[in-house]
Each structure stands twice: as C-alpha cells, then as structure tokens.
Amino acid sequence: MQTSNAQSRAIAHGAGPAMVLAGPGSGKTLVITQRIRYLIEEFHVKPQEILVITFTKAAAQEMRQRFCALCRASGVTFGTFHAVFFSILKHAYRLTSANILTEDEKYRILRQLLQKLPPETLSEAQDEKELLSELAAEISLVKNEQISLANYYSRSCPEELFRRLYRQYEEAHRARGMLDFDDMLVCTYELLTRRKDILTAWQGRFRYILVDEFQDINLIQYKILRLLAAPENNLFIVGDDDQSIYRFRGAKPEIMLNFTKDYPGAETILLDQNYRSVAPVIRGALKVIGENTQRYPKKIRDVRGEGPQIDIRELDSQEHESLHLVKCIRRSMEEGIPLSEIAVLFRTNQGAGPFAERLMEFNLPFEMRDALPNVYEHWIARDIFAYLHLAREGLDRPEFLQVMNRPKRYISRDSIDAKLVSFETLRVYYEDKEWMLDRIDRMEADLKILARMAPYAAINYIRHGIGYEDYLTEYAKERRMKPEELLDLLDEIQQGAKPYKTCEEWFAHIEEYKEKLEEQRASWKRPEDAVTLATLHGAKGLEFREVFLVDVNEGVIPHRKAVLEADLEEERRLLYVGMTRAKDRLHIFYTRQRYGKVAEPSRFLDVLIEEKQQSGSHRER
C-alpha cells in the first residue's frame, strides 16, 4: 500500500518524541510497523532496543505478525503494558506466572471477606454479585489513580467498610506472595523510582518506545512510560483523542491532550486521510465530534468518495425499532451483503436484549462481541419470578425469603423454619404485634390478586400495588445510584412480558431464550455468516459495510449517569466511535417512547437531525 505524505512523515520521524493523531481508518498499524522497519533498516537501531506497547494481547500479536511480514529482523519486543511491566518485575524479583492473581481468585478472596462480615454490616438488599463487581472495580481505581485510601469515598459500601475490605484484600493476596493486575503497575512504578540502577538498565534496553492507542493510557502507565523513555525521550505515540472512551477504567484523555506540554519539542503529525468510510459517514461523524471542546481540531479527507447518506430514523417504540431493524437486515441480505458485514451497536450490554430476542424470533444468526447478559437472570427479575411463583405455586421457603422484605415488611428469618411457609404460622409467631399482622394479611391478599393476573399486569401490580418500585428507589438511594438504573431494567422485564397472556407462556419463552443464549456462549465457532451485536465500547477497532446504531436517545447516550462536561464529552466520543465503524452505510435509530414513556433523541444528533430535516422527513412508523 502506498503511503500518504503524513504517513511517510510519521514513519521517517527520527529521534525524540512524536505524537501521531490517527483517526479511524487512517492506517495507523501500517505506520507503526513501517516505522519499526525504518528504525532498523534506515536508522540502524538494534531490534532489541525497540519496545512496542499495545493495550490488548490480540493487538500485540497482530502488530508482531504485520511487522514480521514486512521485515525479517527479530528481537523487537511487542507486548501489553501488563506483560512488559511484569517482565521488569520478573527480572527484579524472580517472579513467575504463579505469582499473578487471576480475576477469579480476586473475586474468591473478596467473596470470602464479605462472608466473614456480621449479617447486619451490609444491607440485606445488596446483591452479592453486583457488590463484588463494584468492589473489584473500586480497588482497581484506587491503585491505578494512586488515590490515598483515606481520601477515597466508596459508592459500593460505607467508606470505613471499604477501607477495611481493601486492607484485608491486600493482606490476603500479599500473604500468598501474589500480585493482582493493578499491582503490576504499582510495583513497577515503585521499583523504578526506588532503584535507579534498575531503571537505567531498562532505559538502555528500550531506547525507542512506540505506543499504540495512546488515548487509552492511565496515569500510572504514563508515569512509568516517562521513566523508561528518559533521558533520550524517543517516545512515539499513536492514538486518537476523539476515540478515548475508557475513563471509567482510569484512562485519562487529558494526558494525550497535554503531551506537547510534557514534551515541548515533540513533532505532531495528523494522519488526515480516512481509507475506511464513504464521505457522508466521515462528514457526519466530524460534525458530531466537532461539538466537543477538549480535543485536537482535525480535518479528515475521504479517500473513497461519496456514498449513501446517513439514515437517521425516528421510530415510534422499541418494538417498531427492532422490527424495522429486521426489515433492513433482510433487505441487505437480498442485496447480497453478508450478515458478517452488518453490525448492530448499542450503548450498554443490557441494550442488546430486545434486539437479540427479535433476531432469534426471525431466525437471523448473530454473534455477540461481549457476553450478552440475560436480563431474566438479574436479581430484579428473580424477585419478580419469586412473587409470581409464590402467587401461583405455593409458599416455597427460599423464594419467600427472597422477597418477604422487598419492600420492607420487617418479617424475621427466625419466623420461618419450614420448607413451605404458612401465613397462619406467621400470624401465630407475630400474634402480639398488631402492626405485623396487618403486613402479613396484606402480603397474603397481594399474592391472591397476583395469581389471577396476566404477566404484564402482574408486574405492574408488584411495582405499584405492592410497592416494589419504592423499594428499588430506596435501594438505589442507599447505594448512591440513580433509581432509573434499576427502574429501566424493571421496565425491560415488564416489556418482555407484554406479548404473553399467561405466566406459563412467558416462562416457556424465558427458558427458550436462556437455552439459545447458553448455546451461543458454549459455541467455540462463530456462525459462518452472522450479524455482529456489540456495545459501542466493544466495537472499537472493528469495521463493517453496514452499521446500525440503535436507541440513540437522551438518557441512553449520553447515559443518564453522564452529568459532568467531561462525562458528556466522553459519551459523544462513544457515538463518534460507533459512527466511524461504518464503511458504506450508517443507520442511526431513536424512538419516540421507551417503555411507554416519552423519549427524546440524543442531543448529540441535533446537528445531524437539523440537516436531515432540511431535506425531508425522517420519521418511520
């Protein structure tokens, strides 16, 4: 492939720091691999003195393969941050892979610590799986951001409890001589700052450092990188600040934005040609991202020329949206577009559910890039099922225990000792407490009412008649969450029940859906021709002939959690990443209502809708 002027400049950059701004489809992998060859063949750098860092193992392997196809030289180091830093620790401390704590082991330690806590320490409403996930993420954040534990305020549990769990977790895995993935960074930084002799040795080993996807770097990674690159500072970074979408993992887009301040003599090169997308996709994506203020301004030129205009479409509801999606995919199949060249992208994993169910209904094969969470396995769904089973099949003890205090009725576990719960026995237990008898009577009456209802109406009664929605709101308040995060999930469960007249029909559908998901999870081979379903995060780095961005509504993207300007800019970057996955056709769908409530198009679409309205209607009913 012939290189552009900008690519040639980047490849031939000599010594010293350089920043390459590489937009989507601009050939950045070509630049990195060709530059390695240039350093070896033209600049006479020893291959052993070159370090190439990527963010994923797969990217490192692909980079190595691409380079090997170009050049016979061996000795260049390709690796992820963790792999490179672990090799430094291995040499210093004689560590092996047995010293690395796996994610499963990390969760096992945290689970054991939680189980040792007195029952009253945590709210009985807290879901263990969710709590474990949040604790693990917060521990990573504290380490990667190098936050003082005394100054960190947890959102998963009370501050003092988090600090205690953090210290106990550290003691537990350190006592076994283990490091978790975050420790690899922390320990490498501590080693290189304390041992100048070791730092000097590694600086001499890696005289030229190239970093891919630099926009995703976090603070401690950057600090270590700066130590290794000094004093020659042959640091060649490649990335796109407009594609920085991992702040929730600790990525700091401002590091790339401030690179030329840290390295005033750095050469800046813009790869300004997009080889992937047709002109309308590029123009639309640039209009969207151009609304961000914290970015390097860029003019990107199309190489492929004109193509279909972006299809921005308003649909009445999510049901209409998923049906219209199927209609479009079928039309594309008739036109000869392989399903493997079609992608459906959404903001969060949970957003995949309605579209996966619809594709299953029409026997359209699909592959999930991320593990598709089954909404019916969520603890909220399990609560709903428990109520429905109790109403129709008898008072089974485990299910009764699950929901007896959701909402709070103050029923004690000590009052229930039989496999089948009896309201009469409960009344005897609480015979001297009139106010408890009222609660027990009310629960029994509620279950009798539920027994006669269709699933959709029953869930509505559980929400508003029984007070489950108020319980979720209180739960969210305890956890410093927005109630909508839980209520949306409840909406999705209720919406899924709408087509079914009886609980038996609905449960049969849920079982079939679960089996199909498990078949897909267990399958080692992707279908030869299948639609790709992916989150916007999961789609990064991919490209397709036809892309559908669905549920592009306010509150979805930008996500309702995004309040600060920095959050909103990252959400806009997410949409930009999704748009630039499309090579030929780009569809953007939003709905007029979600779960029976009025919905608005994403504010990010304003610049595109305004332009679209000038050329005609964009509504589909």
Side-chain angles (χ1 to χ4, degrees), residues 388 391-392 446-454:
L388 295 177
R392 303 171 64 81
D446 284 336
L447 292 177
K448 285 178 180 176
I449 292 169
L450 281 180
R452 302 191 296 269
M453 289 181 159

Side-chain angles (χ1 to χ4, degrees), residues 253-293:
E254 55 269 28
I255 292 174
M256 188 167 192
L257 292 170
N258 292 325
F259 186 77
T260 52
K261 292 179 183 175
D262 293 335
Y263 296 95
E267 182 178 9
T268 301
I269 303 161
L270 170 64
L271 302 187
D272 61 352
Q273 290 185 322
N274 182 309
Y275 297 91
R276 175 188 298 160
S277 306
V278 293
V281 171
I282 297 169
R283 284 196 299 267
L286 287 174
K287 278 183 182 174
V288 168
I289 201 63
E291 297 291 305
N292 273 5
T293 58

Side-chain angles (χ1 to χ4, degrees), residues 74-100:
S74 62
V76 177
T77 299
F78 295 85
T80 63
F81 278 103
H82 285 97
V84 172
F85 295 166
F86 184 66
S87 70
I88 292 173
L89 295 174
K90 189 166 61 175
H91 280 83
Y93 300 123
R94 300 176 183 271
L95 301 176
T96 69
S97 58
N99 296 108
I100 300 175

